[in-house]
Amino acid sequence: NAGVMQNPRHLVRRRGQEARLRCSPMKGHSHVYWYRQLPEEGLKFMVYLQKENIIDESGMPKERFSAEFPKEGPSILRIQQVVRGDSAAYFCASSPSSGRGEQFFGPGTRLTVL
Amino acid sequence: EDQVTQSPEALRLQEGESSSLNCSYTVSGLRGLFWYRQDPGKGPEFLFTLYSAGEEKEKERLKATLTKKESFLHITAPKPEDSATYLCAVQGHSGAGSYQLTFGKGTKLSVIP
C-alpha cells in the first residue's frame, strides 16, 4: 500500500539551471497539491491539480514555476532558471476524489541551489 | 486570509510529563482543522481531522480538541518517540482556500528520557 512517492529526494542545481520534481499520488487519489517549506517557515501552498487540469495556482510564483499532472505519469513541478532563494523542501500531497479534507504527504524533495 | 498561530514554538518535556500544544486560527468558515506530525527530513504525517467545535479525537497518547477559535493537542505521559514537530493546518470554505491547507509554523516537541 504505497504512499505518496516523490523523486528525487535530494536535488542540487546551479543557478540558472532547471529543476524537475516528480510526484506520484497514493493509489486511488486523483488530486495533487504542491507545498514549499522554506527554512524556519511553515509549509506554503503552491498549486492544486487534477489529471490534466490546474485547479488553483494561487500560491505559485508568477515566473519560472510551472506544474502539470498529465493523464499518464506523475505530477511534475518545474522550476526554470533556479535562484538561491528557491532552495527549500518541496512536498507533494494527494487526496481522494473529494478534493477536500485530509491530504497525505510524500517525503519531499530537498532542492539546493548553488 | 486564513491564519494559523501555534504555541509554544518549542517544548521540552520529561518522559511522562503531560502537556498541551495550542493552535489558534482565523478562517472564513472552517471546513476542517488538521494535525500532522513531522520528523526531521520527512514529510508531514497525518494525525487528526476536526470539523466542528466540541469535537475530540484520540490516538494513543494524543488527544485533539477544537473550539471556535483554537485547537489543542494534548499529550499524555509522552515518550521519547513522541519527539517531533507538530503542525496544525486549516482548510476554509471560501474560494481558493477551500482546497489549500494553511499551516502554522509548528511546535517542536522534545521528550527527554
Side-chain angles (χ1 to χ4, degrees), chain A residues 9 35 37 43 45 48 56 58 91 99-103 105-107 110, chain B residues 31 34 36 38 41-44 46 49 51 87 91 96 98-101 103:
Chain A
R9 294 293 308 277
Y35 291 81
Q37 189 171 41
L43 283 152
F45 169 81
Y48 162 43
D56 175 8
S58 60
F91 292 97
R100 293 178 173 86
E102 51 264 20
Q103 297 171 13
F105 284 79
R110 275 133 190 99
Chain B
R31 179 174 296 276
F34 307 87
Y36 288 85
Q38 187 174 25
K42 297 190 177 182
F46 171 73
T49 307
Y51 293 105
L87 303 174
Q91 190 176 51
S98 62
Y99 301 108
Q100 61 183 267
L101 299 183
F103 281 86

PDB file of all heavy atoms in Angstrom, chain A residues 9 35 37 43 45 48 56 58 91 99-103 105-107 110, chain B residues 31 34 36 38 41-44 46 49 51 87 91 96 98-101 103:
ATOM      1  N   ARG A   9      14.818  12.612  -4.010  1.00  0.00           N
ATOM      2  CA  ARG A   9      14.706  13.060  -2.623  1.00  0.00           C
ATOM      3  C   ARG A   9      15.593  14.283  -2.372  1.00  0.00           C
ATOM      4  O   ARG A   9      15.252  15.140  -1.570  1.00  0.00           O
ATOM      5  CB  ARG A   9      15.102  11.934  -1.665  1.00  0.00           C
ATOM      6  CG  ARG A   9      14.155  10.739  -1.690  1.00  0.00           C
ATOM      7  CD  ARG A   9      12.770  11.100  -1.133  1.00  0.00           C
ATOM      8  NE  ARG A   9      12.858  11.733   0.167  1.00  0.00           N
ATOM      9  CZ  ARG A   9      12.982  11.069   1.301  1.00  0.00           C
ATOM     10  NH1 ARG A   9      13.024   9.754   1.306  1.00  0.00           N
ATOM     11  NH2 ARG A   9      13.040  11.731   2.453  1.00  0.00           N
ATOM     12  N   TYR A  35       3.418  21.899  -2.030  1.00  0.00           N
ATOM     13  CA  TYR A  35       3.716  22.873  -0.980  1.00  0.00           C
ATOM     14  C   TYR A  35       5.220  23.088  -0.928  1.00  0.00           C
ATOM     15  O   TYR A  35       6.009  22.198  -1.278  1.00  0.00           O
ATOM     16  CB  TYR A  35       3.255  22.352   0.389  1.00  0.00           C
ATOM     17  CG  TYR A  35       1.754  22.257   0.566  1.00  0.00           C
ATOM     18  CD1 TYR A  35       1.045  21.184   0.060  1.00  0.00           C
ATOM     19  CD2 TYR A  35       1.050  23.247   1.246  1.00  0.00           C
ATOM     20  CE1 TYR A  35      -0.334  21.093   0.217  1.00  0.00           C
ATOM     21  CE2 TYR A  35      -0.327  23.159   1.419  1.00  0.00           C
ATOM     22  CZ  TYR A  35      -1.003  22.085   0.900  1.00  0.00           C
ATOM     23  OH  TYR A  35      -2.365  22.001   1.066  1.00  0.00           O
ATOM     24  N   GLN A  37       8.395  24.410   1.720  1.00  0.00           N
ATOM     25  CA  GLN A  37       8.774  24.699   3.095  1.00  0.00           C
ATOM     26  C   GLN A  37      10.149  25.340   3.086  1.00  0.00           C
ATOM     27  O   GLN A  37      11.156  24.672   2.844  1.00  0.00           O
ATOM     28  CB  GLN A  37       8.775  23.419   3.939  1.00  0.00           C
ATOM     29  CG  GLN A  37       8.940  23.656   5.429  1.00  0.00           C
ATOM     30  CD  GLN A  37       8.722  22.361   6.228  1.00  0.00           C
ATOM     31  OE1 GLN A  37       9.161  21.288   5.828  1.00  0.00           O
ATOM     32  NE2 GLN A  37       8.036  22.462   7.363  1.00  0.00           N
ATOM     33  N   LEU A  43       4.850  25.397   6.024  1.00  0.00           N
ATOM     34  CA  LEU A  43       4.510  24.933   4.692  1.00  0.00           C
ATOM     35  C   LEU A  43       3.582  25.927   4.009  1.00  0.00           C
ATOM     36  O   LEU A  43       2.599  26.379   4.605  1.00  0.00           O
ATOM     37  CB  LEU A  43       3.799  23.583   4.789  1.00  0.00           C
ATOM     38  CG  LEU A  43       4.687  22.377   5.060  1.00  0.00           C
ATOM     39  CD1 LEU A  43       3.929  21.298   5.785  1.00  0.00           C
ATOM     40  CD2 LEU A  43       5.250  21.860   3.759  1.00  0.00           C
ATOM     41  N   PHE A  45       1.241  26.646   0.532  1.00  0.00           N
ATOM     42  CA  PHE A  45       0.576  26.079  -0.632  1.00  0.00           C
ATOM     43  C   PHE A  45       1.086  26.724  -1.910  1.00  0.00           C
ATOM     44  O   PHE A  45       1.302  27.939  -1.970  1.00  0.00           O
ATOM     45  CB  PHE A  45      -0.929  26.293  -0.504  1.00  0.00           C
ATOM     46  CG  PHE A  45      -1.709  25.997  -1.751  1.00  0.00           C
ATOM     47  CD1 PHE A  45      -2.054  24.700  -2.080  1.00  0.00           C
ATOM     48  CD2 PHE A  45      -2.113  27.026  -2.594  1.00  0.00           C
ATOM     49  CE1 PHE A  45      -2.777  24.425  -3.226  1.00  0.00           C
ATOM     50  CE2 PHE A  45      -2.838  26.767  -3.734  1.00  0.00           C
ATOM     51  CZ  PHE A  45      -3.182  25.467  -4.055  1.00  0.00           C
ATOM     52  N   TYR A  48      -2.688  23.319  -6.906  1.00  0.00           N
ATOM     53  CA  TYR A  48      -3.569  22.149  -6.778  1.00  0.00           C
ATOM     54  C   TYR A  48      -3.943  21.692  -8.186  1.00  0.00           C
ATOM     55  O   TYR A  48      -4.411  22.491  -8.996  1.00  0.00           O
ATOM     56  CB  TYR A  48      -4.797  22.526  -5.958  1.00  0.00           C
ATOM     57  CG  TYR A  48      -5.984  21.601  -6.069  1.00  0.00           C
ATOM     58  CD1 TYR A  48      -5.846  20.215  -6.059  1.00  0.00           C
ATOM     59  CD2 TYR A  48      -7.268  22.139  -6.155  1.00  0.00           C
ATOM     60  CE1 TYR A  48      -6.956  19.394  -6.143  1.00  0.00           C
ATOM     61  CE2 TYR A  48      -8.382  21.326  -6.247  1.00  0.00           C
ATOM     62  CZ  TYR A  48      -8.222  19.954  -6.245  1.00  0.00           C
ATOM     63  OH  TYR A  48      -9.327  19.142  -6.329  1.00  0.00           O
ATOM     64  N   ASP A  56      -6.039  25.322  -9.015  1.00  0.00           N
ATOM     65  CA  ASP A  56      -5.730  26.514  -8.238  1.00  0.00           C
ATOM     66  C   ASP A  56      -4.224  26.679  -8.186  1.00  0.00           C
ATOM     67  O   ASP A  56      -3.544  25.833  -7.630  1.00  0.00           O
ATOM     68  CB  ASP A  56      -6.312  26.368  -6.826  1.00  0.00           C
ATOM     69  CG  ASP A  56      -5.949  27.514  -5.886  1.00  0.00           C
ATOM     70  OD1 ASP A  56      -5.365  28.524  -6.336  1.00  0.00           O
ATOM     71  OD2 ASP A  56      -6.242  27.395  -4.681  1.00  0.00           O
ATOM     72  N   SER A  58      -2.842  29.694  -7.111  1.00  0.00           N
ATOM     73  CA  SER A  58      -2.734  30.993  -6.456  1.00  0.00           C
ATOM     74  C   SER A  58      -1.466  31.149  -5.634  1.00  0.00           C
ATOM     75  O   SER A  58      -1.059  32.265  -5.340  1.00  0.00           O
ATOM     76  CB  SER A  58      -3.963  31.249  -5.573  1.00  0.00           C
ATOM     77  OG  SER A  58      -4.073  30.241  -4.579  1.00  0.00           O
ATOM     78  N   PHE A  91       7.130  19.647  -1.022  1.00  0.00           N
ATOM     79  CA  PHE A  91       6.318  18.488  -0.670  1.00  0.00           C
ATOM     80  C   PHE A  91       5.110  18.387  -1.592  1.00  0.00           C
ATOM     81  O   PHE A  91       4.470  19.369  -1.935  1.00  0.00           O
ATOM     82  CB  PHE A  91       5.822  18.589   0.781  1.00  0.00           C
ATOM     83  CG  PHE A  91       6.924  18.455   1.794  1.00  0.00           C
ATOM     84  CD1 PHE A  91       7.511  19.585   2.346  1.00  0.00           C
ATOM     85  CD2 PHE A  91       7.364  17.199   2.200  1.00  0.00           C
ATOM     86  CE1 PHE A  91       8.533  19.474   3.279  1.00  0.00           C
ATOM     87  CE2 PHE A  91       8.385  17.077   3.126  1.00  0.00           C
ATOM     88  CZ  PHE A  91       8.963  18.214   3.659  1.00  0.00           C
ATOM     89  N   GLY A  99     -11.389  16.146  -3.169  1.00  0.00           N
ATOM     90  CA  GLY A  99     -10.645  17.395  -3.313  1.00  0.00           C
ATOM     91  C   GLY A  99     -10.592  18.215  -2.042  1.00  0.00           C
ATOM     92  O   GLY A  99      -9.932  19.222  -1.985  1.00  0.00           O
ATOM     93  N   ARG A 100     -11.316  17.786  -1.016  1.00  0.00           N
ATOM     94  CA  ARG A 100     -11.290  18.486   0.260  1.00  0.00           C
ATOM     95  C   ARG A 100     -11.021  17.464   1.362  1.00  0.00           C
ATOM     96  O   ARG A 100     -11.092  16.286   1.149  1.00  0.00           O
ATOM     97  CB  ARG A 100     -12.626  19.197   0.499  1.00  0.00           C
ATOM     98  CG  ARG A 100     -12.864  20.345  -0.475  1.00  0.00           C
ATOM     99  CD  ARG A 100     -14.219  20.996  -0.260  1.00  0.00           C
ATOM    100  NE  ARG A 100     -14.375  22.193  -1.065  1.00  0.00           N
ATOM    101  CZ  ARG A 100     -14.803  22.201  -2.326  1.00  0.00           C
ATOM    102  NH1 ARG A 100     -15.093  21.059  -2.921  1.00  0.00           N
ATOM    103  NH2 ARG A 100     -14.928  23.338  -2.983  1.00  0.00           N
ATOM    104  N   GLY A 101     -10.693  17.962   2.546  1.00  0.00           N
ATOM    105  CA  GLY A 101     -10.376  17.024   3.612  1.00  0.00           C
ATOM    106  C   GLY A 101      -8.888  16.764   3.709  1.00  0.00           C
ATOM    107  O   GLY A 101      -8.078  17.484   3.141  1.00  0.00           O
ATOM    108  N   GLU A 102      -8.545  15.724   4.466  1.00  0.00           N
ATOM    109  CA  GLU A 102      -7.134  15.485   4.749  1.00  0.00           C
ATOM    110  C   GLU A 102      -6.348  15.182   3.484  1.00  0.00           C
ATOM    111  O   GLU A 102      -6.833  14.552   2.545  1.00  0.00           O
ATOM    112  CB  GLU A 102      -6.952  14.349   5.770  1.00  0.00           C
ATOM    113  CG  GLU A 102      -7.681  13.084   5.457  1.00  0.00           C
ATOM    114  CD  GLU A 102      -9.017  12.992   6.172  1.00  0.00           C
ATOM    115  OE1 GLU A 102      -9.559  14.029   6.607  1.00  0.00           O
ATOM    116  OE2 GLU A 102      -9.532  11.863   6.280  1.00  0.00           O
ATOM    117  N   GLN A 103      -5.097  15.664   3.518  1.00  0.00           N
ATOM    118  CA  GLN A 103      -4.154  15.444   2.445  1.00  0.00           C
ATOM    119  C   GLN A 103      -2.993  14.628   3.002  1.00  0.00           C
ATOM    120  O   GLN A 103      -2.552  14.844   4.120  1.00  0.00           O
ATOM    121  CB  GLN A 103      -3.662  16.782   1.892  1.00  0.00           C
ATOM    122  CG  GLN A 103      -4.792  17.606   1.275  1.00  0.00           C
ATOM    123  CD  GLN A 103      -4.380  19.012   0.929  1.00  0.00           C
ATOM    124  OE1 GLN A 103      -3.205  19.361   0.917  1.00  0.00           O
ATOM    125  NE2 GLN A 103      -5.362  19.855   0.605  1.00  0.00           N
ATOM    126  N   PHE A 105       0.911  13.391   2.661  1.00  0.00           N
ATOM    127  CA  PHE A 105       2.138  13.969   2.117  1.00  0.00           C
ATOM    128  C   PHE A 105       3.182  12.917   1.774  1.00  0.00           C
ATOM    129  O   PHE A 105       3.283  11.867   2.423  1.00  0.00           O
ATOM    130  CB  PHE A 105       2.737  14.957   3.131  1.00  0.00           C
ATOM    131  CG  PHE A 105       2.010  16.267   3.176  1.00  0.00           C
ATOM    132  CD1 PHE A 105       0.821  16.405   3.868  1.00  0.00           C
ATOM    133  CD2 PHE A 105       2.514  17.378   2.504  1.00  0.00           C
ATOM    134  CE1 PHE A 105       0.137  17.610   3.899  1.00  0.00           C
ATOM    135  CE2 PHE A 105       1.840  18.588   2.535  1.00  0.00           C
ATOM    136  CZ  PHE A 105       0.655  18.697   3.228  1.00  0.00           C
ATOM    137  N   GLY A 106       3.992  13.266   0.774  1.00  0.00           N
ATOM    138  CA  GLY A 106       5.152  12.480   0.441  1.00  0.00           C
ATOM    139  C   GLY A 106       6.353  12.894   1.272  1.00  0.00           C
ATOM    140  O   GLY A 106       6.254  13.812   2.102  1.00  0.00           O
ATOM    141  N   PRO A 107       7.503  12.261   1.040  1.00  0.00           N
ATOM    142  CA  PRO A 107       8.701  12.537   1.841  1.00  0.00           C
ATOM    143  C   PRO A 107       9.406  13.831   1.473  1.00  0.00           C
ATOM    144  O   PRO A 107      10.286  14.277   2.197  1.00  0.00           O
ATOM    145  CB  PRO A 107       9.595  11.333   1.550  1.00  0.00           C
ATOM    146  CG  PRO A 107       9.179  10.888   0.184  1.00  0.00           C
ATOM    147  CD  PRO A 107       7.712  11.154   0.096  1.00  0.00           C
ATOM    148  N   ARG A 110      14.319  17.817  -1.436  1.00  0.00           N
ATOM    149  CA  ARG A 110      15.105  18.927  -0.917  1.00  0.00           C
ATOM    150  C   ARG A 110      15.981  19.488  -2.021  1.00  0.00           C
ATOM    151  O   ARG A 110      16.899  18.810  -2.467  1.00  0.00           O
ATOM    152  CB  ARG A 110      15.924  18.476   0.288  1.00  0.00           C
ATOM    153  CG  ARG A 110      15.112  18.561   1.568  1.00  0.00           C
ATOM    154  CD  ARG A 110      15.214  17.300   2.418  1.00  0.00           C
ATOM    155  NE  ARG A 110      14.229  17.336   3.507  1.00  0.00           N
ATOM    156  CZ  ARG A 110      13.063  16.716   3.461  1.00  0.00           C
ATOM    157  NH1 ARG A 110      12.742  15.994   2.415  1.00  0.00           N
ATOM    158  NH2 ARG A 110      12.213  16.815   4.465  1.00  0.00           N
TER     159      ARG A 110
ATOM    160  N   ARG B  31     -13.651  24.506   7.229  1.00  0.00           N
ATOM    161  CA  ARG B  31     -14.029  23.232   6.616  1.00  0.00           C
ATOM    162  C   ARG B  31     -13.415  22.082   7.407  1.00  0.00           C
ATOM    163  O   ARG B  31     -14.018  21.034   7.562  1.00  0.00           O
ATOM    164  CB  ARG B  31     -13.587  23.180   5.161  1.00  0.00           C
ATOM    165  CG  ARG B  31     -13.913  21.877   4.446  1.00  0.00           C
ATOM    166  CD  ARG B  31     -13.583  21.966   2.973  1.00  0.00           C
ATOM    167  NE  ARG B  31     -14.404  22.958   2.300  1.00  0.00           N
ATOM    168  CZ  ARG B  31     -15.629  22.721   1.840  1.00  0.00           C
ATOM    169  NH1 ARG B  31     -16.183  21.536   2.003  1.00  0.00           N
ATOM    170  NH2 ARG B  31     -16.298  23.668   1.213  1.00  0.00           N
ATOM    171  N   PHE B  34      -6.577  20.343  10.876  1.00  0.00           N
ATOM    172  CA  PHE B  34      -5.777  19.132  10.743  1.00  0.00           C
ATOM    173  C   PHE B  34      -4.541  19.218  11.620  1.00  0.00           C
ATOM    174  O   PHE B  34      -3.905  20.270  11.732  1.00  0.00           O
ATOM    175  CB  PHE B  34      -5.342  18.948   9.287  1.00  0.00           C
ATOM    176  CG  PHE B  34      -6.484  18.989   8.314  1.00  0.00           C
ATOM    177  CD1 PHE B  34      -6.929  20.190   7.796  1.00  0.00           C
ATOM    178  CD2 PHE B  34      -7.121  17.823   7.920  1.00  0.00           C
ATOM    179  CE1 PHE B  34      -7.998  20.239   6.909  1.00  0.00           C
ATOM    180  CE2 PHE B  34      -8.183  17.864   7.038  1.00  0.00           C
ATOM    181  CZ  PHE B  34      -8.623  19.072   6.532  1.00  0.00           C
ATOM    182  N   TYR B  36      -0.767  17.346  12.061  1.00  0.00           N
ATOM    183  CA  TYR B  36       0.226  16.486  11.452  1.00  0.00           C
ATOM    184  C   TYR B  36       1.439  16.406  12.376  1.00  0.00           C
ATOM    185  O   TYR B  36       1.720  17.325  13.143  1.00  0.00           O
ATOM    186  CB  TYR B  36       0.701  17.047  10.104  1.00  0.00           C
ATOM    187  CG  TYR B  36      -0.298  16.959   8.977  1.00  0.00           C
ATOM    188  CD1 TYR B  36      -1.267  17.942   8.809  1.00  0.00           C
ATOM    189  CD2 TYR B  36      -0.254  15.915   8.057  1.00  0.00           C
ATOM    190  CE1 TYR B  36      -2.176  17.877   7.749  1.00  0.00           C
ATOM    191  CE2 TYR B  36      -1.158  15.838   6.996  1.00  0.00           C
ATOM    192  CZ  TYR B  36      -2.112  16.823   6.859  1.00  0.00           C
ATOM    193  OH  TYR B  36      -3.001  16.757   5.808  1.00  0.00           O
ATOM    194  N   GLN B  38       5.646  15.875  12.030  1.00  0.00           N
ATOM    195  CA  GLN B  38       6.734  15.881  11.062  1.00  0.00           C
ATOM    196  C   GLN B  38       8.053  15.578  11.763  1.00  0.00           C
ATOM    197  O   GLN B  38       8.470  16.303  12.666  1.00  0.00           O
ATOM    198  CB  GLN B  38       6.830  17.214  10.309  1.00  0.00           C
ATOM    199  CG  GLN B  38       7.859  17.186   9.182  1.00  0.00           C
ATOM    200  CD  GLN B  38       7.859  18.451   8.344  1.00  0.00           C
ATOM    201  OE1 GLN B  38       7.474  19.524   8.794  1.00  0.00           O
ATOM    202  NE2 GLN B  38       8.284  18.336   7.093  1.00  0.00           N
ATOM    203  N   GLY B  41      13.600  15.768   8.253  1.00  0.00           N
ATOM    204  CA  GLY B  41      13.910  15.196   6.951  1.00  0.00           C
ATOM    205  C   GLY B  41      12.793  14.394   6.322  1.00  0.00           C
ATOM    206  O   GLY B  41      13.000  13.738   5.297  1.00  0.00           O
ATOM    207  N   LYS B  42      11.613  14.426   6.905  1.00  0.00           N
ATOM    208  CA  LYS B  42      10.488  13.658   6.382  1.00  0.00           C
ATOM    209  C   LYS B  42       9.287  14.546   6.099  1.00  0.00           C
ATOM    210  O   LYS B  42       9.258  15.719   6.471  1.00  0.00           O
ATOM    211  CB  LYS B  42      10.102  12.554   7.370  1.00  0.00           C
ATOM    212  CG  LYS B  42      11.204  11.530   7.580  1.00  0.00           C
ATOM    213  CD  LYS B  42      10.705  10.342   8.369  1.00  0.00           C
ATOM    214  CE  LYS B  42      11.794   9.289   8.501  1.00  0.00           C
ATOM    215  NZ  LYS B  42      11.319   8.090   9.241  1.00  0.00           N
ATOM    216  N   GLY B  43       8.297  13.972   5.420  1.00  0.00           N
ATOM    217  CA  GLY B  43       7.076  14.705   5.143  1.00  0.00           C
ATOM    218  C   GLY B  43       6.114  14.649   6.313  1.00  0.00           C
ATOM    219  O   GLY B  43       6.223  13.777   7.184  1.00  0.00           O
ATOM    220  N   PRO B  44       5.160  15.573   6.369  1.00  0.00           N
ATOM    221  CA  PRO B  44       4.162  15.547   7.440  1.00  0.00           C
ATOM    222  C   PRO B  44       3.340  14.264   7.408  1.00  0.00           C
ATOM    223  O   PRO B  44       2.930  13.814   6.336  1.00  0.00           O
ATOM    224  CB  PRO B  44       3.290  16.767   7.120  1.00  0.00           C
ATOM    225  CG  PRO B  44       4.155  17.667   6.306  1.00  0.00           C
ATOM    226  CD  PRO B  44       5.011  16.747   5.496  1.00  0.00           C
ATOM    227  N   PHE B  46      -0.108  12.522   8.687  1.00  0.00           N
ATOM    228  CA  PHE B  46      -1.439  12.886   9.137  1.00  0.00           C
ATOM    229  C   PHE B  46      -1.784  12.241  10.482  1.00  0.00           C
ATOM    230  O   PHE B  46      -1.531  11.041  10.685  1.00  0.00           O
ATOM    231  CB  PHE B  46      -2.472  12.469   8.086  1.00  0.00           C
ATOM    232  CG  PHE B  46      -3.894  12.607   8.528  1.00  0.00           C
ATOM    233  CD1 PHE B  46      -4.478  13.860   8.639  1.00  0.00           C
ATOM    234  CD2 PHE B  46      -4.647  11.496   8.863  1.00  0.00           C
ATOM    235  CE1 PHE B  46      -5.791  13.989   9.060  1.00  0.00           C
ATOM    236  CE2 PHE B  46      -5.959  11.619   9.280  1.00  0.00           C
ATOM    237  CZ  PHE B  46      -6.525  12.877   9.373  1.00  0.00           C
ATOM    238  N   THR B  49      -8.249  14.901  11.893  1.00  0.00           N
ATOM    239  CA  THR B  49      -9.070  15.961  11.323  1.00  0.00           C
ATOM    240  C   THR B  49     -10.200  16.266  12.295  1.00  0.00           C
ATOM    241  O   THR B  49     -10.844  15.346  12.810  1.00  0.00           O
ATOM    242  CB  THR B  49      -9.695  15.552   9.980  1.00  0.00           C
ATOM    243  OG1 THR B  49      -8.683  15.103   9.104  1.00  0.00           O
ATOM    244  CG2 THR B  49     -10.429  16.729   9.356  1.00  0.00           C
ATOM    245  N   TYR B  51     -13.724  18.786  12.635  1.00  0.00           N
ATOM    246  CA  TYR B  51     -14.603  19.534  11.741  1.00  0.00           C
ATOM    247  C   TYR B  51     -15.453  20.592  12.444  1.00  0.00           C
ATOM    248  O   TYR B  51     -15.812  21.598  11.815  1.00  0.00           O
ATOM    249  CB  TYR B  51     -15.536  18.572  11.004  1.00  0.00           C
ATOM    250  CG  TYR B  51     -14.821  17.668  10.037  1.00  0.00           C
ATOM    251  CD1 TYR B  51     -14.601  16.322  10.337  1.00  0.00           C
ATOM    252  CD2 TYR B  51     -14.356  18.154   8.823  1.00  0.00           C
ATOM    253  CE1 TYR B  51     -13.937  15.493   9.448  1.00  0.00           C
ATOM    254  CE2 TYR B  51     -13.697  17.326   7.922  1.00  0.00           C
ATOM    255  CZ  TYR B  51     -13.494  16.008   8.243  1.00  0.00           C
ATOM    256  OH  TYR B  51     -12.836  15.196   7.356  1.00  0.00           O
ATOM    257  N   LEU B  87       2.397  19.970  13.546  1.00  0.00           N
ATOM    258  CA  LEU B  87       1.871  21.023  12.675  1.00  0.00           C
ATOM    259  C   LEU B  87       0.351  21.047  12.731  1.00  0.00           C
ATOM    260  O   LEU B  87      -0.297  20.006  12.731  1.00  0.00           O
ATOM    261  CB  LEU B  87       2.302  20.781  11.224  1.00  0.00           C
ATOM    262  CG  LEU B  87       3.802  20.675  10.950  1.00  0.00           C
ATOM    263  CD1 LEU B  87       4.048  20.281   9.503  1.00  0.00           C
ATOM    264  CD2 LEU B  87       4.481  21.994  11.271  1.00  0.00           C
ATOM    265  N   GLN B  91      -8.417  24.406   6.740  1.00  0.00           N
ATOM    266  CA  GLN B  91      -8.961  24.451   5.389  1.00  0.00           C
ATOM    267  C   GLN B  91     -10.287  25.195   5.496  1.00  0.00           C
ATOM    268  O   GLN B  91     -11.148  24.816   6.290  1.00  0.00           O
ATOM    269  CB  GLN B  91      -9.163  23.037   4.869  1.00  0.00           C
ATOM    270  CG  GLN B  91      -9.490  22.919   3.395  1.00  0.00           C
ATOM    271  CD  GLN B  91      -9.565  21.458   2.975  1.00  0.00           C
ATOM    272  OE1 GLN B  91     -10.254  20.663   3.591  1.00  0.00           O
ATOM    273  NE2 GLN B  91      -8.835  21.104   1.928  1.00  0.00           N
ATOM    274  N   ALA B  96     -10.361  29.903  -3.103  1.00  0.00           N
ATOM    275  CA  ALA B  96      -9.179  29.057  -3.236  1.00  0.00           C
ATOM    276  C   ALA B  96      -8.877  28.332  -1.938  1.00  0.00           C
ATOM    277  O   ALA B  96      -8.346  27.234  -1.940  1.00  0.00           O
ATOM    278  CB  ALA B  96      -7.978  29.893  -3.665  1.00  0.00           C
ATOM    279  N   SER B  98     -10.623  26.747  -0.074  1.00  0.00           N
ATOM    280  CA  SER B  98     -11.385  25.525   0.143  1.00  0.00           C
ATOM    281  C   SER B  98     -10.604  24.299  -0.299  1.00  0.00           C
ATOM    282  O   SER B  98     -11.040  23.184  -0.054  1.00  0.00           O
ATOM    283  CB  SER B  98     -12.726  25.597  -0.589  1.00  0.00           C
ATOM    284  OG  SER B  98     -12.518  25.722  -1.976  1.00  0.00           O
ATOM    285  N   TYR B  99      -9.469  24.493  -0.939  1.00  0.00           N
ATOM    286  CA  TYR B  99      -8.633  23.356  -1.325  1.00  0.00           C
ATOM    287  C   TYR B  99      -7.330  23.332  -0.529  1.00  0.00           C
ATOM    288  O   TYR B  99      -6.889  22.292  -0.091  1.00  0.00           O
ATOM    289  CB  TYR B  99      -8.300  23.428  -2.814  1.00  0.00           C
ATOM    290  CG  TYR B  99      -9.513  23.419  -3.706  1.00  0.00           C
ATOM    291  CD1 TYR B  99      -9.918  24.552  -4.385  1.00  0.00           C
ATOM    292  CD2 TYR B  99     -10.263  22.262  -3.861  1.00  0.00           C
ATOM    293  CE1 TYR B  99     -11.034  24.541  -5.191  1.00  0.00           C
ATOM    294  CE2 TYR B  99     -11.382  22.246  -4.680  1.00  0.00           C
ATOM    295  CZ  TYR B  99     -11.758  23.385  -5.336  1.00  0.00           C
ATOM    296  OH  TYR B  99     -12.863  23.365  -6.143  1.00  0.00           O
ATOM    297  N   GLN B 100      -6.728  24.491  -0.398  1.00  0.00           N
ATOM    298  CA  GLN B 100      -5.401  24.513   0.180  1.00  0.00           C
ATOM    299  C   GLN B 100      -5.456  24.431   1.691  1.00  0.00           C
ATOM    300  O   GLN B 100      -6.422  24.846   2.324  1.00  0.00           O
ATOM    301  CB  GLN B 100      -4.674  25.796  -0.232  1.00  0.00           C
ATOM    302  CG  GLN B 100      -5.355  27.066   0.228  1.00  0.00           C
ATOM    303  CD  GLN B 100      -4.640  28.299  -0.277  1.00  0.00           C
ATOM    304  OE1 GLN B 100      -3.790  28.838   0.413  1.00  0.00           O
ATOM    305  NE2 GLN B 100      -4.956  28.731  -1.473  1.00  0.00           N
ATOM    306  N   LEU B 101      -4.403  23.873   2.280  1.00  0.00           N
ATOM    307  CA  LEU B 101      -4.216  23.881   3.718  1.00  0.00           C
ATOM    308  C   LEU B 101      -3.320  25.062   4.067  1.00  0.00           C
ATOM    309  O   LEU B 101      -2.303  25.293   3.402  1.00  0.00           O
ATOM    310  CB  LEU B 101      -3.558  22.590   4.193  1.00  0.00           C
ATOM    311  CG  LEU B 101      -4.319  21.290   3.927  1.00  0.00           C
ATOM    312  CD1 LEU B 101      -3.554  20.103   4.521  1.00  0.00           C
ATOM    313  CD2 LEU B 101      -5.723  21.355   4.489  1.00  0.00           C
ATOM    314  N   PHE B 103      -0.941  26.313   6.973  1.00  0.00           N
ATOM    315  CA  PHE B 103      -0.217  25.728   8.093  1.00  0.00           C
ATOM    316  C   PHE B 103       0.316  26.781   9.053  1.00  0.00           C
ATOM    317  O   PHE B 103       0.669  27.893   8.656  1.00  0.00           O
ATOM    318  CB  PHE B 103       0.986  24.921   7.586  1.00  0.00           C
ATOM    319  CG  PHE B 103       0.647  23.559   7.062  1.00  0.00           C
ATOM    320  CD1 PHE B 103       0.256  23.388   5.748  1.00  0.00           C
ATOM    321  CD2 PHE B 103       0.719  22.447   7.884  1.00  0.00           C
ATOM    322  CE1 PHE B 103      -0.061  22.135   5.258  1.00  0.00           C
ATOM    323  CE2 PHE B 103       0.407  21.186   7.408  1.00  0.00           C
ATOM    324  CZ  PHE B 103       0.018  21.034   6.086  1.00  0.00           C
TER     325      PHE B 103
END
